Amino acid sequence: MNETERHKQNKHPLDVIDDVYEYAADGLTFEQIEERAGGGEWERLKWAGMYAQKQEGYFMIRTKVPGGNLTPEQAEVIGECAADYAVAPEEYGGTEQNELWGDAYLDITTRQDIQKHWIRVEDVPELWERYDEVGLTTVQGCGDSARNVLGCPAAGLDDHECFDAQPVVDAVSDFFTGNREYANLPRKFKLTITGCAHDCAQSQINDVGLVPARKELGGDHRYGFHARVGGGLSDGPRMASELDVFVHPEDAVEFCRAVAQTFKELGDRNNRGVCRMRYLVEQLGAERFEEAVRERCTVDLPDGGRSLTVGYRGDHVGVRDQKQDGLQYVGFNVIAGRMGGDEFAAAARAAREYGTENASVRLATDQNFLITHVPEENVDDLLEEPFAREYQPDPGPFSRGAVGCTGNEFCNYAIIETKKRTRRWARELDERIDVPDDIEAIRMHMSGCSASCAQPQIADIGFRGETVKLDDEDGSDIVEGMDVGLGGSLGADNEFLDWIESAVPADAVIPALEQLFDAYADGREDGERFYGWCRRVDNDRLRTIMQGAEAPVAGGVAHGD
């Protein structure tokens, strides 16, 4: 076993939740926590949804939101807790900790979670108490167990939906949350479940993806799911494999349990680098993996039926009609997912004020959010709210497609700053580059390291952070930079991007993108998306275009090479 596995064997990870109450009551410092519980406690605390920040004494805490679906009351509590607890100390700048957001903000993630920073352990029990009152949890927001279950943020609202899968999302989430038998898996276990024909919940890059299907059984046409398994990003990215199974909605919990059981029994617990489920699927092959799941599943799994997935959407920005007459939902654009806790609470109150009794706040996998069930006559008033003017539903294409990870502001692994850079670059690119009118979004994803939290491999333009040593006269300048990749997407034409240029100094990226988009405008075919053009053009040609900028695009090397 690797060291992490030994930590989990020494004490069940879910037992750490009781420990948090003790640490809070005793007012322990990080040093005292480690003295009492050992170094493995930092790993086990992830099961409470808590990551130790790089600033000692403070945590990031992650709130799970199954399917991204929040009531206005839940969303208001999340925002208020960010305002009350995600407060930076004076030694780190206080209310001016971040020049763009100050402090007391929250981050919407690519897994429909909410993250808050600057959380002190003594505040966690009170935060949990406020969460309990409205049915929220941080349990297993992190760690080697089932993470937040993704779903379509417009579940129950859109005409392109085959059926509303949110009840299935909730059932699967409820089964795994707090379940000691499945809370210690070889690695994180990521699930997505949708009845949406456009797969906006990203089944192709998850460990388990249930997508809509139809099958004739006993003379009746039944709606259910097809299953995809073994998708993922980071090092060794892999698109999920299709299994030849039809899963009834009422059997989805048991099917997901059987997959988790297979992973639990057969997954690698030695090498953390290859212990994710996608490596097991790759090793066994889809057919043998399916056999293993069937052996462990207690319900009948008919062979597959007719797939109802027609493409990939992944974007719900804008004012859109619901299938309920007279109602609309509004998708707000939050560049890099970061906004003030008070702003999120204001959005929740606006959902109550302008929406019907069924109004909700939904989180999307592109770090944006929706307010739903708004009568058409109320939409204009909603859009006049201060938060709505900041997070406009009609952004430019770069702002609309911008995704950024936490970055080195808080993350121990990130090499470069990402959140501020993503917002500044998106707005600057919208001003400097004329994108063809038929292109609504350019997906630009920035990860601060190789861990792929911002999902760069599926973006039109992906960035992977590194430090760069400039090839100048004295060779002594070390700057933030990144690898630049082009041509990724999900859907029927899914493909991971190619990393075109490495060790690009950050200051050279925007000039290089201007060169690329000039060439794209001149050479695109009718209706051709940017990622499609990048695939059609030879990589050497793309590299040459980038290096034509008046900037040192190829002027550095990765620091340490």
Side-chain angles (χ1 to χ4, degrees):
M1 287 187 180
N2 59 55
E3 185 178 23
T4 298
E5 291 298 326
R6 290 195 293 273
H7 293 325
K8 293 187 290 181
Q9 288 293 321
N10 291 338
K11 181 172 68 178
H12 193 288
L14 286 177
D15 291 342
V16 81
I17 294 165
D18 291 335
D19 296 338
V20 171
Y21 286 102
E22 292 184 14
Y23 301 152
D26 294 346
L28 299 190
T29 65
F30 271 30
E31 185 177 72
Q32 291 167 330
I33 289 173
E34 189 161 332
E35 286 176 1
R36 180 178 295 189
E41 197 76 340
W42 306 117
E43 187 67 32
R44 291 185 291 265
L45 278 164
K46 296 175 184 178
W47 275 255
M50 300 165 64
Y51 273 101
Q53 271 183 207
K54 64 192 297 182
Q55 297 86 359
E56 186 169 324
Y58 299 91
F59 290 95
M60 179 277 283
I61 195 162
R62 181 178 293 154
T63 307
K64 292 202 307 187
V65 185
N69 198 329
L70 293 166
T71 67
E73 291 74 23
Q74 289 174 324
E76 187 172 23
V77 167
I78 287 172
E80 289 175 346
C81 284
D84 292 343
Y85 304 123
V87 180
E90 289 302 321
E91 64 186 288
Y92 288 106
T95 57
E96 302 301 319
Q97 176 262 317
N98 183 299
E99 66 264 32
L100 294 185
W101 290 281
D103 69 347
Y105 45 73
L106 54 82
D107 294 333
I108 303 170
T109 79
T110 56
R111 292 204 63 80
Q112 297 175 304
D113 296 305
I114 294 284
Q115 295 184 170
K116 304 184 187 76
H117 299 281
W118 299 113
I119 304 298
R120 303 179 305 167
V121 69
E122 55 262 43
D123 291 330
V124 173
E126 185 176 326
L127 183 151
W128 281 349
E129 182 178 351
R130 291 168 68 172
Y131 270 19
D132 285 343
E133 291 174 356
V134 292
L136 292 168
T137 188
T138 69
V139 173
Q140 291 164 257
C142 321
D144 296 342
S145 60
R147 298 292 186 90
N148 192 44
V149 182
L150 300 187
C152 175
L157 309 179
D158 267 343
D159 282 333
H160 64 249
E161 183 177 64
C162 305
F163 55 90
D164 182 357
Q166 183 64 38
V168 182
V169 170
D170 292 334
V172 172
S173 180
D174 289 345
F175 173 80
F176 282 109
T177 302
N179 188 327
R180 295 178 70 87
E181 186 173 356
Y182 295 101
N184 179 5
L185 298 175
R187 203 67 160 82
K188 63 184 75 171
F189 186 54
K190 296 183 175 181
L191 305 102
T192 175
I193 302 169
T194 181
C196 166
H198 293 286
D199 196 25
C200 47
Q202 302 178 327
S203 66
Q204 294 170 322
I205 56 169
N206 277 267
D207 293 303
V208 181
L210 297 184
V211 293
R214 188 171 63 196
K215 185 175 178 66
E216 184 175 349
L217 293 167
D220 294 327
H221 287 278
R222 290 290 308 273
Y223 283 97
F225 301 102
H226 280 172
R228 297 169 173 172
V229 296
L233 299 177
S234 193
D235 295 329
R238 184 181 190 278
M239 292 289 180
S241 300
E242 302 269 355
L243 299 187
D244 187 19
V245 298
F246 179 84
V247 182
H248 295 281
E250 61 270 25
D251 294 336
V253 170
E254 172 57 18
F255 174 79
C256 292
R257 184 210 63 79
V259 176
Q261 184 71 32
T262 303
F263 184 34
K264 179 181 178 181
E265 293 179 16
L266 304 181
D268 190 309
R269 292 182 184 265
N270 178 26
N271 184 349
R272 290 286 285 181
V274 293
C275 59
R276 297 195 181 187
M277 200 183 88
R278 64 179 180 270
Y279 293 104
L280 177 62
V281 176
E282 183 70 19
Q283 177 188 1
L284 294 179
E287 289 186 7
R288 288 180 62 201
F289 187 86
E290 180 184 322
E291 290 173 6
V293 172
R294 286 182 180 275
E295 289 171 1
R296 292 161 175 79
C297 193
T298 63
V299 298
D300 180 46
L301 295 173
D303 294 341
R306 177 190 169 198
S307 174
L308 300 177
T309 300
V310 297
Y312 174 65
R313 179 177 175 181
D315 185 314
H316 295 80
V317 174
V319 178
R320 301 175 184 267
D321 291 334
Q322 293 184 194
K323 58 186 178 184
Q324 297 86 3
D325 286 344
L327 296 181
Q328 296 180 315
Y329 69 83
V330 182
F332 293 95
N333 181 229
V334 186
I335 302 175
R338 178 165 290 181
M339 62 188 298
D342 56 347
E343 293 176 312
F344 197 69
R349 290 189 286 270
R352 269 202 305 268
E353 180 177 354
Y354 298 109
T356 70
E357 62 181 9
N358 296 316
S360 61
V361 177
R362 311 278 186 96
L363 311 179
T365 58
D366 55 1
Q367 300 182 315
N368 297 315
F369 75 94
L370 288 58
I371 291 179
T372 75
H373 296 85
V374 182
E376 292 179 18
E377 61 270 20
N378 291 351
V379 169
D380 287 344
D381 290 336
L382 170 62
L383 296 179
E384 287 301 313
E385 289 288 316
F387 83 87
R389 292 196 294 270
E390 174 64 24
Y391 304 105
Q392 55 189 300
D394 57 347
F398 287 96
S399 295
R400 183 168 181 159
V403 170
C405 75
T406 297
N408 68 4
E409 184 179 14
F410 298 113
C411 178
N412 288 302
Y413 301 107
I415 300 170
I416 65 169
E417 191 282 321
T418 56
K419 288 290 187 184
K420 292 180 288 188
R421 181 174 279 123
T422 299
R423 190 167 91 160
R424 286 169 170 156
W425 280 15
R427 291 181 171 173
E428 184 174 352
L429 288 165
D430 280 334
E431 291 179 1
R432 291 173 61 163
I433 293 178
D434 290 326
V435 174
D437 292 339
D438 60 331
I439 303 296
E440 291 184 333
I442 298 293
R443 300 187 187 282
M444 182 180 70
H445 294 201
M446 187 180 298
S447 271
C449 68
S450 63
S452 301
C453 296
Q455 305 174 334
Q457 292 96 330
I458 62 168
D460 290 277
I461 307 163
F463 303 117
R464 187 170 57 190
E466 59 179 313
T467 51
V468 175
K469 182 177 181 180
L470 292 179
D471 187 17
D472 54 15
E473 290 182 2
D474 58 15
S476 60
D477 286 343
I478 306 297
V479 300
E480 289 193 335
M482 54 202 68
D483 301 331
V484 180
L486 302 171
S489 75
L490 295 179
D493 56 353
N494 61 309
E495 193 173 309
F496 294 130
L497 54 66
D498 286 340
W499 294 105
I500 302 298
E501 187 69 270
S502 62
V504 179
D507 289 346
V509 171
I510 288 181
L513 293 182
E514 287 182 303
Q515 295 292 110
L516 282 170
F517 276 88
D518 283 346
Y520 168 56
D522 290 340
R524 74 185 293 240
E525 296 177 351
D526 239 11
E528 190 173 34
R529 297 290 302 267
F530 182 70
Y531 70 79
W533 176 79
C534 290
R535 294 175 189 175
R536 184 168 56 83
V537 176
D538 181 83
N539 284 352
D540 287 338
R541 174 61 182 153
L542 293 173
R543 192 174 297 109
T544 299
I545 293 170
M546 292 175 63
Q547 293 173 358
E550 294 184 4
V553 173
V557 295
H559 181 42
D561 282 3

